[in-house]
Amino acid sequence: MTIALYPGTFDPVTWGHVDIATRSARIFERLVVAVYDTPSKNLLFSTEERVALFRESVRDLPNIEVTEFSGLVVARAKSLGAQVIVRGLRSGSDFDYEFEMAFMNKNLAPDVELVCLMASLPYQYVSSSLLKEVIALGGDVDSLVPHHAVEAIKEKMALEAQS
Ligand code: COA
């Protein structure tokens, strides 16, 4: 069985991430979405919340499972028996970032392969930070973020505004 790991911060999940996960789940028998617990960026959601929001977005896809992880991504791939790491590529700048990580990961775990899928056109310029900014300013991003995630962002922002 080919197991693929799709790691990321997912703060929160967007339709762009769901697009990559859904397409990967058609290629690989099992896809494990791995939510990184300690990225070096400011987060809106806890790890548990990010996992729950992604899980809700793919609940109709039986071969996708969503978990959290800490430590090296290649260590998580090995512990799962995943042969492949999946990443989405949007613009040219994603390529440079992926290139650097891919070589480091290959150095650490030569038998784990990287598969990059091109982000679909509507999601080429989407990022979680940009979407959070637009929602905070009252913009409509329903075509780019699952409805439950939009609601969670608004709720979290309202709570933060109160404190
Ligand atoms: N659609 C929409 N948005 C996308 C996207 C897509 N297809 N692909 C990426 N993005 C966005 C994300 O929302 C994110 O936006 P943000 O920065 O505003 O939050 C941004 O692009 C980058 O996300 P991503 O590509 O998922 O990278 P990441 O920084 O979230 O995750 C890890 C990077 C977790 C995979 C990487 O840091 C890692 O592997 N960490 C584990 C530790 C480790 O092994 N380090 C050594 C690696 S060599």
Side-chain angles (χ1 to χ4, degrees):
M1 182 194 277
T2 310
I3 304 172
L5 186 74
Y6 176 31
T9 304
F10 310 123
D11 185 51
V13 62
T14 68
W15 283 129
H17 299 131
V18 175
D19 168 57
I20 298 294
T22 307
R23 287 161 54 207
S24 305
R26 285 190 210 121
I27 303 172
F28 305 107
E29 286 162 285
R30 182 175 162 217
L31 180 77
V32 179
V33 175
V35 178
Y36 186 42
D37 73 345
T38 47
S40 58
K41 44 183 153 182
N42 286 333
L43 298 176
L44 185 62
F45 294 101
S46 69
T47 310
E48 294 71 26
E49 289 167 332
R50 288 180 284 134
V51 167
L53 290 170
F54 207 128
R55 207 171 265 158
E56 173 65 18
S57 311
V58 292
R59 66 184 171 147
D60 296 331
L61 298 164
N63 64 333
I64 302 183
E65 156 189 345
V66 185
T67 62
E68 64 178 83
F69 83 105
S70 54
L72 287 174
V73 68
V74 289
R76 184 68 189 120
K78 287 204 161 208
S79 69
L80 272 168
Q83 302 91 330
V84 173
I85 292 175
V86 169
R87 297 282 291 162
L89 281 186
R90 292 165 303 169
S91 57
S93 58
D94 274 358
F95 180 78
D96 291 341
Y97 177 52
E98 291 309 323
F99 203 72
E100 196 175 296
M101 284 203 296
F103 277 95
M104 182 55 75
N105 285 335
K106 198 72 182 164
N107 196 42
L108 295 167
D111 47 351
V112 176
E113 292 298 338
L114 174 72
V115 171
C116 289
L117 299 187
M118 299 297 160
S120 296
L121 204 50
Y123 312 122
Q124 278 289 329
Y125 295 98
V126 171
S127 78
S128 298
S129 318
L130 201 58
L131 292 169
K132 285 182 282 193
E133 184 184 332
V134 172
I135 291 171
L137 297 172
D140 177 2
V141 290
D142 274 11
S143 61
L144 302 174
V145 191
H147 184 68
H148 67 277
V150 174
E151 291 306 307
I153 293 171
K154 288 181 181 165
E155 225 170 88
K156 189 69 103 175
M157 285 177 173
L159 275 177
E160 285 192 353
Q162 279 168 22
S163 60

mmCIF file of all heavy atoms in Angstrom, residues 7-9 14 16-17 20 36 41 69 71-73 87 90 97 101 104-105 126-129, ligand 1:
data_model
loop_
_atom_site.group_PDB
_atom_site.id
_atom_site.type_symbol
_atom_site.label_atom_id
_atom_site.label_comp_id
_atom_site.label_asym_id
_atom_site.label_seq_id
_atom_site.Cartn_x
_atom_site.Cartn_y
_atom_site.Cartn_z
ATOM 1 N N PRO A 7 2.159 17.246 4.874
ATOM 2 C CA PRO A 7 2.391 18.076 6.066
ATOM 3 C C PRO A 7 2.144 19.557 5.801
ATOM 4 O O PRO A 7 2.270 20.028 4.674
ATOM 5 C CB PRO A 7 3.886 17.844 6.331
ATOM 6 C CG PRO A 7 4.476 17.653 4.969
ATOM 7 C CD PRO A 7 3.401 17.032 4.099
ATOM 8 N N GLY A 8 1.818 20.273 6.853
ATOM 9 C CA GLY A 8 1.656 21.727 6.737
ATOM 10 C C GLY A 8 1.195 22.300 8.055
ATOM 11 O O GLY A 8 0.937 21.571 9.017
ATOM 12 N N THR A 9 1.081 23.624 8.075
ATOM 13 C CA THR A 9 0.622 24.301 9.283
ATOM 14 C C THR A 9 -0.904 24.354 9.329
ATOM 15 O O THR A 9 -1.515 24.174 10.383
ATOM 16 C CB THR A 9 1.202 25.734 9.326
ATOM 17 O OG1 THR A 9 2.621 25.649 9.241
ATOM 18 C CG2 THR A 9 0.825 26.440 10.607
ATOM 19 N N THR A 14 -7.641 25.625 3.947
ATOM 20 C CA THR A 14 -8.350 26.387 2.900
ATOM 21 C C THR A 14 -8.788 25.382 1.832
ATOM 22 O O THR A 14 -8.335 24.224 1.833
ATOM 23 C CB THR A 14 -7.410 27.412 2.236
ATOM 24 O OG1 THR A 14 -6.425 26.690 1.484
ATOM 25 C CG2 THR A 14 -6.723 28.301 3.259
ATOM 26 N N GLY A 16 -7.689 25.431 -0.988
ATOM 27 C CA GLY A 16 -6.439 25.113 -1.687
ATOM 28 C C GLY A 16 -5.792 23.867 -1.100
ATOM 29 O O GLY A 16 -5.332 22.985 -1.840
ATOM 30 N N HIS A 17 -5.793 23.767 0.237
ATOM 31 C CA HIS A 17 -5.237 22.564 0.880
ATOM 32 C C HIS A 17 -6.119 21.346 0.592
ATOM 33 O O HIS A 17 -5.612 20.241 0.353
ATOM 34 C CB HIS A 17 -5.160 22.762 2.402
ATOM 35 C CG HIS A 17 -4.285 23.894 2.840
ATOM 36 N ND1 HIS A 17 -4.692 24.845 3.739
ATOM 37 C CD2 HIS A 17 -3.006 24.225 2.491
ATOM 38 C CE1 HIS A 17 -3.702 25.719 3.940
ATOM 39 N NE2 HIS A 17 -2.683 25.370 3.199
ATOM 40 N N ILE A 20 -5.414 19.935 -2.806
ATOM 41 C CA ILE A 20 -4.202 19.094 -2.869
ATOM 42 C C ILE A 20 -4.476 17.739 -2.202
ATOM 43 O O ILE A 20 -4.110 16.682 -2.734
ATOM 44 C CB ILE A 20 -3.008 19.803 -2.156
ATOM 45 C CG1 ILE A 20 -2.657 21.132 -2.837
ATOM 46 C CG2 ILE A 20 -1.783 18.875 -2.071
ATOM 47 C CD1 ILE A 20 -2.114 21.045 -4.243
ATOM 48 N N TYR A 36 1.453 20.322 11.566
ATOM 49 C CA TYR A 36 2.685 20.569 12.335
ATOM 50 C C TYR A 36 2.363 21.405 13.568
ATOM 51 O O TYR A 36 1.781 22.469 13.465
ATOM 52 C CB TYR A 36 3.697 21.285 11.446
ATOM 53 C CG TYR A 36 5.061 21.470 12.069
ATOM 54 C CD1 TYR A 36 5.655 20.447 12.803
ATOM 55 C CD2 TYR A 36 5.754 22.653 11.900
ATOM 56 C CE1 TYR A 36 6.910 20.615 13.364
ATOM 57 C CE2 TYR A 36 7.018 22.829 12.452
ATOM 58 C CZ TYR A 36 7.588 21.800 13.186
ATOM 59 O OH TYR A 36 8.831 21.966 13.752
ATOM 60 N N LYS A 41 5.582 30.475 13.119
ATOM 61 C CA LYS A 41 4.780 31.636 12.739
ATOM 62 C C LYS A 41 3.675 31.811 13.762
ATOM 63 O O LYS A 41 3.347 30.863 14.497
ATOM 64 C CB LYS A 41 4.220 31.526 11.320
ATOM 65 C CG LYS A 41 3.640 30.199 10.895
ATOM 66 C CD LYS A 41 3.208 30.253 9.429
ATOM 67 C CE LYS A 41 3.233 28.924 8.738
ATOM 68 N NZ LYS A 41 2.872 28.917 7.344
ATOM 69 N N PHE A 69 1.537 16.385 14.166
ATOM 70 C CA PHE A 69 2.873 15.825 14.362
ATOM 71 C C PHE A 69 3.805 16.887 14.919
ATOM 72 O O PHE A 69 3.566 18.087 14.790
ATOM 73 C CB PHE A 69 3.438 15.206 13.071
ATOM 74 C CG PHE A 69 4.092 16.171 12.116
ATOM 75 C CD1 PHE A 69 5.474 16.236 11.998
ATOM 76 C CD2 PHE A 69 3.332 17.003 11.317
ATOM 77 C CE1 PHE A 69 6.086 17.119 11.106
ATOM 78 C CE2 PHE A 69 3.926 17.885 10.442
ATOM 79 C CZ PHE A 69 5.297 17.943 10.322
ATOM 80 N N GLY A 71 8.279 17.477 15.621
ATOM 81 C CA GLY A 71 9.592 16.960 15.197
ATOM 82 C C GLY A 71 9.734 16.976 13.689
ATOM 83 O O GLY A 71 8.998 17.679 12.990
ATOM 84 N N LEU A 72 10.664 16.171 13.216
ATOM 85 C CA LEU A 72 10.968 16.175 11.782
ATOM 86 C C LEU A 72 9.873 15.509 10.967
ATOM 87 O O LEU A 72 9.360 14.451 11.339
ATOM 88 C CB LEU A 72 12.276 15.431 11.530
ATOM 89 C CG LEU A 72 13.571 16.123 11.950
ATOM 90 C CD1 LEU A 72 14.762 15.188 11.755
ATOM 91 C CD2 LEU A 72 13.783 17.415 11.149
ATOM 92 N N VAL A 73 9.590 16.101 9.820
ATOM 93 C CA VAL A 73 8.560 15.526 8.955
ATOM 94 C C VAL A 73 8.975 14.142 8.440
ATOM 95 O O VAL A 73 8.142 13.233 8.310
ATOM 96 C CB VAL A 73 8.194 16.514 7.810
ATOM 97 C CG1 VAL A 73 9.331 16.688 6.830
ATOM 98 C CG2 VAL A 73 6.944 16.079 7.104
ATOM 99 N N ARG A 87 3.365 17.775 -1.392
ATOM 100 C CA ARG A 87 3.292 19.216 -1.150
ATOM 101 C C ARG A 87 2.598 19.872 -2.335
ATOM 102 O O ARG A 87 2.661 19.362 -3.464
ATOM 103 C CB ARG A 87 4.702 19.795 -0.991
ATOM 104 C CG ARG A 87 5.452 19.250 0.203
ATOM 105 C CD ARG A 87 5.036 19.855 1.516
ATOM 106 N NE ARG A 87 5.444 21.253 1.584
ATOM 107 C CZ ARG A 87 4.915 22.105 2.455
ATOM 108 N NH1 ARG A 87 3.976 21.725 3.295
ATOM 109 N NH2 ARG A 87 5.326 23.364 2.470
ATOM 110 N N ARG A 90 2.319 26.508 -5.537
ATOM 111 C CA ARG A 90 1.532 27.586 -6.135
ATOM 112 C C ARG A 90 2.422 28.341 -7.120
ATOM 113 O O ARG A 90 2.574 27.941 -8.240
ATOM 114 C CB ARG A 90 0.975 28.502 -5.039
ATOM 115 C CG ARG A 90 -0.091 27.796 -4.165
ATOM 116 C CD ARG A 90 -0.360 28.537 -2.897
ATOM 117 N NE ARG A 90 0.892 28.700 -2.155
ATOM 118 C CZ ARG A 90 1.060 29.468 -1.106
ATOM 119 N NH1 ARG A 90 0.067 30.181 -0.656
ATOM 120 N NH2 ARG A 90 2.234 29.535 -0.498
ATOM 121 N N TYR A 97 11.279 27.381 -1.950
ATOM 122 C CA TYR A 97 11.109 26.904 -0.572
ATOM 123 C C TYR A 97 11.061 25.363 -0.551
ATOM 124 O O TYR A 97 11.737 24.699 0.245
ATOM 125 C CB TYR A 97 9.828 27.534 -0.035
ATOM 126 C CG TYR A 97 9.376 27.158 1.355
ATOM 127 C CD1 TYR A 97 10.240 27.244 2.444
ATOM 128 C CD2 TYR A 97 8.050 26.782 1.595
ATOM 129 C CE1 TYR A 97 9.796 26.936 3.726
ATOM 130 C CE2 TYR A 97 7.608 26.481 2.866
ATOM 131 C CZ TYR A 97 8.485 26.547 3.929
ATOM 132 O OH TYR A 97 8.037 26.235 5.184
ATOM 133 N N MET A 101 13.675 22.490 1.130
ATOM 134 C CA MET A 101 13.220 21.471 2.091
ATOM 135 C C MET A 101 13.394 20.067 1.520
ATOM 136 O O MET A 101 13.757 19.138 2.237
ATOM 137 C CB MET A 101 11.747 21.699 2.456
ATOM 138 C CG MET A 101 11.532 22.840 3.412
ATOM 139 S SD MET A 101 9.983 22.684 4.323
ATOM 140 C CE MET A 101 8.804 22.809 3.018
ATOM 141 N N MET A 104 16.934 18.830 1.887
ATOM 142 C CA MET A 104 17.250 18.525 3.286
ATOM 143 C C MET A 104 16.564 17.208 3.689
ATOM 144 O O MET A 104 17.184 16.322 4.295
ATOM 145 C CB MET A 104 16.795 19.678 4.190
ATOM 146 C CG MET A 104 17.118 19.458 5.651
ATOM 147 S SD MET A 104 18.865 19.128 5.966
ATOM 148 C CE MET A 104 19.556 20.763 5.769
ATOM 149 N N ASN A 105 15.305 17.075 3.317
ATOM 150 C CA ASN A 105 14.566 15.845 3.666
ATOM 151 C C ASN A 105 15.185 14.618 2.993
ATOM 152 O O ASN A 105 15.263 13.545 3.597
ATOM 153 C CB ASN A 105 13.085 15.981 3.293
ATOM 154 C CG ASN A 105 12.345 16.885 4.266
ATOM 155 O OD1 ASN A 105 12.752 17.033 5.420
ATOM 156 N ND2 ASN A 105 11.265 17.492 3.815
ATOM 157 N N VAL A 126 -3.726 31.908 -2.961
ATOM 158 C CA VAL A 126 -4.368 31.804 -1.651
ATOM 159 C C VAL A 126 -3.321 31.436 -0.605
ATOM 160 O O VAL A 126 -2.460 30.599 -0.861
ATOM 161 C CB VAL A 126 -5.450 30.697 -1.706
ATOM 162 C CG1 VAL A 126 -5.986 30.412 -0.328
ATOM 163 C CG2 VAL A 126 -6.573 31.097 -2.644
ATOM 164 N N SER A 127 -3.407 32.079 0.551
ATOM 165 C CA SER A 127 -2.621 31.605 1.697
ATOM 166 C C SER A 127 -3.476 31.815 2.934
ATOM 167 O O SER A 127 -4.363 32.679 2.950
ATOM 168 C CB SER A 127 -1.301 32.358 1.839
ATOM 169 O OG SER A 127 -1.525 33.616 2.418
ATOM 170 N N SER A 128 -3.207 31.054 3.978
ATOM 171 C CA SER A 128 -4.012 31.164 5.198
ATOM 172 C C SER A 128 -3.929 32.580 5.771
ATOM 173 O O SER A 128 -4.943 33.150 6.181
ATOM 174 C CB SER A 128 -3.555 30.125 6.223
ATOM 175 O OG SER A 128 -3.744 28.837 5.699
ATOM 176 N N SER A 129 -2.738 33.184 5.782
ATOM 177 C CA SER A 129 -2.602 34.543 6.362
ATOM 178 C C SER A 129 -3.417 35.571 5.594
ATOM 179 O O SER A 129 -4.091 36.404 6.191
ATOM 180 C CB SER A 129 -1.163 35.033 6.332
ATOM 181 O OG SER A 129 -0.292 34.064 6.669
HETATM 182 N N1 COA B 1 -3.470 26.306 -1.175
HETATM 183 C C1 COA B 1 -3.588 27.341 -0.363
HETATM 184 N N2 COA B 1 -2.626 27.778 0.466
HETATM 185 C C2 COA B 1 -1.482 27.094 0.465
HETATM 186 C C3 COA B 1 -1.280 25.993 -0.367
HETATM 187 C C4 COA B 1 -2.333 25.606 -1.212
HETATM 188 N N3 COA B 1 -2.218 24.583 -2.049
HETATM 189 N N4 COA B 1 -0.047 25.535 -0.146
HETATM 190 C C5 COA B 1 0.492 26.313 0.781
HETATM 191 N N5 COA B 1 -0.382 27.260 1.159
HETATM 192 C C6 COA B 1 -0.135 28.351 2.113
HETATM 193 C C7 COA B 1 -0.403 27.966 3.538
HETATM 194 O O1 COA B 1 -1.714 28.271 3.925
HETATM 195 C C8 COA B 1 0.607 28.821 4.275
HETATM 196 O O2 COA B 1 0.088 30.096 4.466
HETATM 197 P P1 COA B 1 0.561 30.986 5.694
HETATM 198 O O3 COA B 1 2.062 31.086 5.641
HETATM 199 O O4 COA B 1 -0.114 32.245 5.419
HETATM 200 O O5 COA B 1 0.092 30.268 6.934
HETATM 201 C C9 COA B 1 1.780 28.957 3.299
HETATM 202 O O6 COA B 1 1.231 28.691 2.043
HETATM 203 C C10 COA B 1 2.888 27.982 3.575
HETATM 204 O O7 COA B 1 2.296 26.770 3.929
HETATM 205 P P2 COA B 1 2.942 25.361 3.726
HETATM 206 O O8 COA B 1 3.494 25.254 2.361
HETATM 207 O O9 COA B 1 1.989 24.317 4.152
HETATM 208 O O10 COA B 1 4.149 25.398 4.661
HETATM 209 P P3 COA B 1 4.093 25.478 6.145
HETATM 210 O O11 COA B 1 5.074 26.529 6.493
HETATM 211 O O12 COA B 1 2.739 25.651 6.666
HETATM 212 O O13 COA B 1 4.558 24.013 6.531
HETATM 213 C C11 COA B 1 6.123 22.306 7.062
HETATM 214 C C12 COA B 1 5.885 23.681 6.454
HETATM 215 C C13 COA B 1 5.301 22.061 8.290
HETATM 216 C C14 COA B 1 5.786 21.260 6.038
HETATM 217 C C15 COA B 1 7.640 22.265 7.365
HETATM 218 O O14 COA B 1 7.959 23.384 8.164
HETATM 219 C C16 COA B 1 8.042 21.020 8.101
HETATM 220 O O15 COA B 1 8.177 19.991 7.503
HETATM 221 N N6 COA B 1 8.233 21.112 9.423
HETATM 222 C C17 COA B 1 8.574 19.992 10.283
HETATM 223 C C18 COA B 1 9.999 20.125 10.824
HETATM 224 C C19 COA B 1 10.992 19.696 9.788
HETATM 225 O O16 COA B 1 11.037 18.564 9.372
HETATM 226 N N7 COA B 1 11.822 20.661 9.365
HETATM 227 C C20 COA B 1 12.809 20.417 8.377
HETATM 228 C C21 COA B 1 12.211 20.511 7.001
HETATM 229 S S1 COA B 1 13.463 20.339 5.784
#
